[in-house]
């Protein structure tokens, strides 16, 4: 799914040409073996965190890297980093979510870094937000580490961390300035015990110790979706939402 979303990001935005059927359904397809893959060597990319770097950490097999997404009704041109940067000149892309978004953020950076040897870039981080700025093209690729998309706040009564299901105000100002937004959330909504990163749930004026987790997810996503409809200008910003993926702890 990680590579599928990257393909959609590239091709739905017309970064590369589609060789047939302009109205091709990119979601309808399958994974096909391609011996020319992968696009980059993960062991030499400076952007992949240690815990996510399977090859550097000693994974012995490589076959899982040699698959590409093939839509049923069209052909996708191979990724071209120069073309991507040229078309995105002066623009910014932000991934917002959990480790799925972090993986995609790092993968896109590696695609660009590897395809343009010697490219100048600057890395910055402030709190949960990381930015890599490709200086010659004024392209910024960003990551907002955000597990729920809605706010997690310290309650004024000092009761601890509160998951606020009806607010995105804490981070939304950082989202609006971007030209492409790629969101995801799911995995952390079901966490309990020491893995649960909040203490209470708040909805309106009601504060609860817990609630049905799928109902909480639905409420949170509804809050996020309403914000997208109300605040995002579709003529300026393209919004993607990713589905979930398997856990990667083992």
């Amino acid at each position: 799914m990680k590579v599928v979303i990257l393909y959609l990001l590239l091709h739905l935005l017309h970064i590369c040409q589609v060789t047939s059927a302009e109205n091709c359904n990119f979601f309808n397809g399958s994974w096909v073996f391609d011996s020319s893959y992968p696009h980059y060597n993960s062991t030499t990319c400076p952007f992949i965190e240690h815990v996510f770097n399977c090859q550097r950490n000693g994974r012995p097999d490589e076959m899982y890297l040699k698959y590409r997404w093939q839509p049923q009704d069209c052909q996708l041109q191979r990724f071209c980093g120069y073309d991507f940067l040229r078309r995105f000149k002066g623009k910014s892309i932000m991934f917002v979510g959990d480790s799925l978004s972090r993986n995609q953020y790092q993968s896109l950076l590696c695609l660009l870094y590897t395809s343009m040897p010697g490219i100048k870039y600057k890395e910055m981080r402030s709190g949960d937000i990381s930015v890599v700025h490709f200086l010659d093209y004024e392209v910024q690729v960003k990551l907002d580490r955000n597990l729920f998309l809605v706010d997690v706040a310290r309650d004024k009564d000092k009761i601890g961390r509160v998951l606020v299901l009806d607010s995105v105000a804490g981070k939304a100002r950082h989202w609006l300035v971007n030209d492409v937004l790629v969101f995801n959330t799911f995995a952390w909504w079901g966490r309990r015990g020491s893995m649960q990163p909040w203490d209470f749930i708040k909805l309106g004026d009601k504060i609860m110790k817990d609630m049905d987790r799928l109902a909480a997810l639905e409420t949170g996503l509804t809050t996020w979706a309403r914000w997208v409809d109300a605040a995002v200008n579709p003529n300026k910003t393209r919004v993607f939402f990713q589905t979930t993926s398997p856990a990667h702890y083992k």
Side-chain angles (χ1 to χ4, degrees):
M1 182 57 67
K2 175 172 71 173
V3 182
V4 174
I5 295 294
L6 281 177
Y7 268 126
L8 294 177
L9 175 60
L10 304 180
H11 297 291
L12 286 180
L13 290 168
H14 308 292
I15 300 308
C16 295
Q17 294 181 347
V18 179
T19 57
S20 64
E22 289 186 2
N23 296 321
C24 175
N25 180 358
F26 293 100
F27 294 92
N28 184 21
S30 60
W31 293 102
V32 298
F33 181 81
D34 189 331
S35 60
S36 69
Y37 273 52
H39 283 291
Y40 60 85
N41 183 344
S42 62
T43 65
T44 60
C45 177
F47 300 111
I48 301 182
E49 295 176 55
H50 173 73
V51 295
F52 296 136
N53 203 326
C54 297
Q55 295 299 308
R56 182 178 290 176
N57 290 336
R59 179 167 175 167
D61 60 308
E62 297 183 356
M63 290 292 290
Y64 71 97
L65 298 171
K66 296 185 178 296
Y67 285 83
R68 61 177 171 82
W69 181 250
Q70 176 59 61
Q72 180 175 303
D73 299 320
C74 57
Q75 297 293 324
L76 300 180
Q77 191 178 48
R78 191 175 177 88
F79 176 74
C80 173
Y82 167 74
D83 195 40
F84 184 100
L85 290 167
R86 180 179 63 83
R87 291 173 183 265
F88 265 98
K89 187 176 178 64
K91 298 185 182 296
S92 60
I93 304 163
M94 176 175 268
F95 294 87
V96 183
D98 54 31
S99 54
L100 178 60
S101 286
R102 284 166 67 189
N103 289 161
Q104 295 201 38
Y105 163 77
Q106 292 167 18
S107 187
L108 179 56
L109 291 175
C110 289
L111 283 166
L112 297 172
Y113 174 82
T114 304
S115 63
M116 299 288 290
I119 189 170
K120 297 177 181 178
Y121 66 90
K122 181 179 180 180
E123 290 185 85
M124 298 162 281
R125 178 167 179 174
S126 176
D128 292 327
I129 296 178
S130 294
V131 180
V132 174
H133 185 185
F134 292 98
L135 301 174
D136 292 336
Y137 295 88
E138 291 297 321
V139 172
Q140 295 186 66
V141 182
K142 307 177 183 179
L143 171 68
D144 178 7
R145 297 163 179 82
N146 191 315
L147 301 180
F148 302 104
L149 303 186
V150 293
D151 293 341
V152 178
R154 289 281 179 179
D155 188 77
K156 64 181 180 180
D157 296 322
K158 310 298 183 184
I159 62 174
R161 302 161 298 177
V162 180
L163 179 61
V164 186
L165 296 181
D166 52 5
S167 174
V168 297
K171 287 290 188 70
R173 67 185 185 279
H174 299 293
W175 303 344
L176 276 176
V177 298
N178 298 283
D179 301 282
V180 178
L181 290 166
V182 185
F183 293 93
N184 94 284
T185 186
F186 181 79
W188 287 83
W189 287 87
R191 300 290 170 84
R192 300 180 186 276
S194 62
M195 295 293 290
Q196 177 181 298
W198 50 266
D199 302 300
F200 291 88
I201 294 176
K202 183 177 182 181
L203 181 58
D205 295 328
K206 186 177 181 180
I207 295 179
M208 301 163 280
K209 186 64 178 175
D210 207 344
M211 65 179 289
D212 179 272
R213 298 302 180 86
L214 288 179
L217 169 61
E218 181 178 6
T219 302
L221 282 178
T222 300
T223 297
W224 166 82
R226 287 173 176 167
W227 173 85
V228 170
D229 289 341
V232 175
N233 179 357
N235 295 318
K236 176 187 182 297
T237 302
R238 181 68 61 91
V239 177
F240 294 87
F241 183 82
Q242 307 175 66
T243 55
T244 188
S245 70
H248 50 72
Y249 288 100
K250 295 184 180 179

